[in-house]
Amino acid sequence: MNNETIQFLLTTVMEIGTLVCAYLGLRLFKKNQWLRLALIVVPLLANGILYLIYRTTPFFYLGVILLLCIPFVWPRKSA
């Protein structure tokens, strides 16, 4: 496989993974706050690393989507 094919596959996998993890982190696992935060942060770090490697905007924008999700899953003392 050449570099463009690998990049296309990684982009597709990260797009689907970001959407699934954002949904699961925001909607499911209401009791375990740290699991919800991990569901957002792990793909965020993966998108950041892939953006540094390939320098393409899809990974950057997927990271922005996950950054916007973090305030909604951040653990609070009152919860």
Side-chain angles (χ1 to χ4, degrees), residues 15-65:
E15 285 173 353
I16 294 169
T18 296
L19 293 175
V20 168
C21 287
Y23 178 78
L24 291 176
L26 291 173
R27 296 286 178 191
L28 300 177
F29 305 115
K30 298 262 186 216
K31 301 292 181 192
N32 194 344
Q33 297 170 351
W34 295 108
L35 178 63
R36 293 175 68 194
L37 190 61
L39 278 172
I40 302 295
V41 172
V42 170
L44 175 64
L45 293 175
N47 281 320
I49 291 169
L50 289 171
Y51 174 70
L52 290 174
I53 292 171
Y54 289 109
R55 295 286 184 190
T56 57
T57 57
F59 298 118
F60 175 76
Y61 290 126
L62 291 171
V64 169
I65 290 170

